Amino acid sequence: MHIEGSVAVVTGGGSGIGRAVAESFAAAGAPVVVSDINTDSARATTDRITSVGHAAAAWQADASTPTGIRSLIDFANNTFGPVDIYVANAGVVGPSGLGLADRDWDHTLAVNLRAHVRAAGMLVPGWVERGTGHFVSVASAAGLLTQLGGAAYAVSKHAAVAFAEWLAITYGESGVGVSCICPMGVNTPLLSTTLGSPDADNRLAANAIVNSADVVEPELVAEATLRAVREGRFLSLPQEQARKLFQQKAADHDRWVLRMQRYQKSLRFHGGQPAGRTPTSLTQPIVP
């Protein structure tokens, strides 16, 4: 996909990965609409972009609701022209554990999955008519592996990966590109908040991430995203450790589950610190 001159929309663009992606696309020559549920955050990102001479505009919207997505797309169309690239980046961790209320499942799935489905439903038919367009799903390595502690997060991210794959298969021959970005630990406010969560399962999930792969900066994820769109690649794993873990899981799923059981046990026993033991090192059978 040619980036320069393409109109890009980035949800959750007020901080973290979303901010870095918005800045990266703008620097590559794409007018960018920065959307966030927090108005001040969206404007802060936009100000950073326009201050160095690139085109950007801010829009406050709840990217998980049909009305929010519709207003965002309409704003982009009216401001810069038809949307060419849509980066579905907004996400939430959601509550942990199994005993979640329906409203907790509904909210996590609405933000992490249904937002992607709804945006694609509004954009892809027009892209098929034009013969071009690119949908970016910022999912997570949790969508390929799992997320210790966080059932709703793990399920929603698996579903986001599955939807992106379906979208790529179904519309790829019609000129629609799809990229699925699956980072592990990224130095963002979301990770920092989870590491400091009062919820033990949330802390377990965050520590599992930071002890399994290098924690990278959002700019690295943004570079990987830009490269995936340019090259028309579907799956992007910014951390090599995630790729290796994914390959191990695919090679022997039962062994992978056993390793993750032992990794979780190690984390709980050591209060979140696995004493140097990661999923790749947990190769011996459990001894009762």
Side-chain angles (χ1 to χ4, degrees), residues 78-102:
N78 294 332
T79 304
F80 294 123
V83 175
D84 300 296
I85 302 167
Y86 190 94
V87 183
N89 168 73
V92 294
V93 173
S96 60
L98 184 61
L100 303 181
D102 283 352

Side-chain angles (χ1 to χ4, degrees), residues 3-279:
I3 306 296
E4 186 176 3
S6 296
V7 176
V9 170
V10 181
T11 68
S15 64
I17 294 173
R19 171 171 287 178
V21 168
E23 292 179 340
S24 180
F25 275 85
V32 178
V33 172
V34 179
S35 173
D36 201 279
I37 199 166
N38 184 301
T39 304
D40 292 339
S41 297
R43 287 176 177 166
T45 300
T46 301
D47 289 345
R48 287 165 59 104
I49 293 171
T50 57
S51 68
V52 292
H54 304 309
W59 186 252
Q60 189 280 331
D62 182 345
S64 70
T65 66
T67 54
I69 296 168
R70 183 73 269 167
S71 71
L72 171 58
I73 293 172
D74 287 346
F75 174 76
N77 289 341
N78 294 332
T79 304
F80 294 123
V83 175
D84 300 296
I85 302 167
Y86 190 94
V87 183
N89 168 73
V92 294
V93 173
S96 60
L98 184 61
L100 303 181
D102 283 352
R103 66 178 179 275
D104 295 325
W105 277 100
D106 291 344
H107 179 64
T108 305
L109 290 169
V111 178
N112 293 354
L113 171 65
R114 291 297 299 277
H116 300 206
V117 176
R118 288 164 172 157
M122 295 179 194
L123 288 166
V124 169
W127 288 349
V128 171
E129 288 183 7
R130 289 158 50 192
T132 185
H134 204 102
F135 192 90
V136 179
S137 171
V138 180
S140 168
L144 301 172
L145 304 171
T146 192
Q147 180 66 65
L148 296 182
Y153 187 81
V155 170
S156 65
K157 291 301 184 178
H158 271 75
V161 172
F163 176 69
E165 185 178 83
W166 177 88
L167 201 65
I169 292 169
T170 305
Y171 293 101
E173 293 186 346
S174 301
V176 177
V178 180
S179 295
C180 187
I181 317 301
C182 293
M184 289 189 76
V186 183
N187 185 20
T188 65
L190 186 65
L191 180 61
S192 300
T193 300
T194 309
L195 281 167
S197 172
D199 186 287
D201 281 332
N202 275 339
R203 293 197 306 275
L204 172 75
N207 279 299
I209 292 169
V210 300
N211 285 292
S212 296
D214 296 333
V215 175
V216 301
E217 295 301 317
E219 289 74 18
L220 187 145
V221 180
E223 290 172 10
T225 303
L226 188 69
R227 188 163 56 249
V229 174
R230 272 200 176 122
E231 298 174 0
R233 289 190 294 108
F234 174 73
L235 184 61
S236 177
L237 290 159
Q239 287 114 316
E240 183 60 27
Q241 294 102 320
R243 185 176 302 280
K244 291 178 179 178
L245 290 170
F246 184 42
Q247 291 170 343
Q248 291 172 4
K249 178 180 178 179
D252 190 336
H253 212 137
D254 285 310
R255 190 179 186 189
W256 163 259
V257 170
L258 179 62
R259 285 182 178 182
M260 292 305 294
Q261 289 171 348
R262 297 184 67 241
Y263 185 43
Q264 178 176 253
K265 183 179 180 180
S266 175
L267 281 166
R268 290 193 188 282
F269 182 78
H270 293 286
Q273 300 300 322
R277 297 171 70 83
T278 68

